[in-house]
Amino acid sequence: MSGTPPSGRQYRIMAGDHEAVVTQVGAGLRQCTLDGRAVLDGFAESERSPDGRGQVLAPFPNRIADGRYTFGGRTCQVAMDEPERGNAIHGMVRWLDWTEVSFTEHDVVLACVLRPQPGYAWELSLQVGYHLDHDGLRVASSATNTGTEPAPFGMGFHPYLGLGAAVDGLEMLVPAGTHSPVPDDRDERPVPVDVTGTPLDFRSGRAVGSTVLDTVFGDLARGADGRAVVHLLDPASAQGVRLWVDESFGYLMVYSGDGVLPVERRRQAVAVEPMTCPPHAFRSGADLVTLAPGESWTGTWGLAAG
């Protein structure tokens, strides 16, 4: 294609049969192939990211009701970029150009400084690094408060796991003991609900079928390494993908793609979104990270075949 792609420079990294493409705009993950097979339903180089595909969500994941919140005596108004539902959505850095820190065959690290503005009155230095090796893809992120006041912070990512088959025919395991419905008053902290005996219990792995998911899961079961692992499997091909999160991510948003556009892309992939906090956390304070001046947060997640 001629000219600059809508998502800016394309960073292609490789390791054996693994390959990923990361974009300059938003430091997003546009494509990922593991063992020679695509495991993401991403987007074309000629497109901008639709439906949040592959995007980095900071300084808040998911949504803020009315785009308005108060922290540290300051009231901020974020742009209402989901006006039909009355929300600000998916943070404030996903359409920004990020700066290259390093780029090799196996790794790319990008950085962004979020300056004080009407929607966020503090200053953050953000960094996201993508690394491929024989185990798969590892995504390491950090945020440092470079300002002079305590700053609110949350982080998320928005990959759509896709195996080339409709969602209804896939099997999924989500190691979550609770889900968190959004309260009627979105200034209140969400009350976790036990998934036992409900259609949202995927702890043992089962067919997705016609289940509609736009769900925040918590109480994640973790292995000895501290990781919680989601497994998506296509029984017809025996191909699968695993998404893991470290202990920095206490929530997973799982979305079955029922509202994506165009219509023919609906329920063709499952968005599994690592998140540090639930929706509207900037209003409710639920699991909101407060970074003191000079303090940093770090978190890691990844993808593996199988």
Side-chain angles (χ1 to χ4, degrees), residues 142-221:
S142 67
T144 300
N145 179 355
T146 50
T148 59
E149 300 177 17
F153 175 74
M155 189 77 165
F157 292 82
H158 208 298
Y160 279 75
L161 306 186
L163 297 171
V167 167
D168 295 37
L170 302 180
E171 295 178 359
M172 184 170 66
L173 183 150
V174 181
T178 61
H179 70 102
S180 299
V182 177
D184 291 335
D185 180 348
R186 292 180 288 184
D187 290 335
E188 295 180 355
R189 289 174 176 262
V191 178
V193 176
D194 192 334
V195 299
T196 303
T198 76
L200 298 176
D201 189 348
F202 285 89
R203 289 173 294 183
S204 299
R206 62 177 178 83
V208 177
S210 60
T211 305
V212 175
L213 293 157
D214 194 1
T215 306
V216 182
F217 288 101
D219 188 24
L220 304 180

Side-chain angles (χ1 to χ4, degrees), residues 64-186:
I64 300 175
D66 304 319
R68 181 177 290 268
Y69 64 96
T70 299
F71 182 89
R74 297 179 179 271
T75 297
C76 297
Q77 178 66 59
V78 186
M80 296 272 286
D81 45 5
E82 193 183 41
E84 67 278 8
R85 296 175 66 176
N87 297 311
I89 186 171
H90 293 343
M92 302 169 66
V93 299
R94 59 193 181 125
W95 303 115
L96 301 181
D97 277 354
W98 287 52
T99 301
E100 178 186 320
V101 176
S102 62
F103 179 35
T104 70
E105 179 183 3
H106 307 306
D107 307 86
V108 60
V109 180
L110 300 175
C112 172
V113 176
L114 183 63
R115 304 290 186 187
Q117 55 192 280
Y120 192 78
W122 304 270
E123 182 174 285
L124 292 179
S125 176
L126 303 169
Q127 187 166 288
V128 177
Y130 296 86
H131 172 76
L132 275 176
D133 59 24
H134 66 278
D135 291 326
L137 179 70
R138 185 174 74 252
V139 185
S141 52
S142 67
T144 300
N145 179 355
T146 50
T148 59
E149 300 177 17
F153 175 74
M155 189 77 165
F157 292 82
H158 208 298
Y160 279 75
L161 306 186
L163 297 171
V167 167
D168 295 37
L170 302 180
E171 295 178 359
M172 184 170 66
L173 183 150
V174 181
T178 61
H179 70 102
S180 299
V182 177
D184 291 335
D185 180 348
R186 292 180 288 184

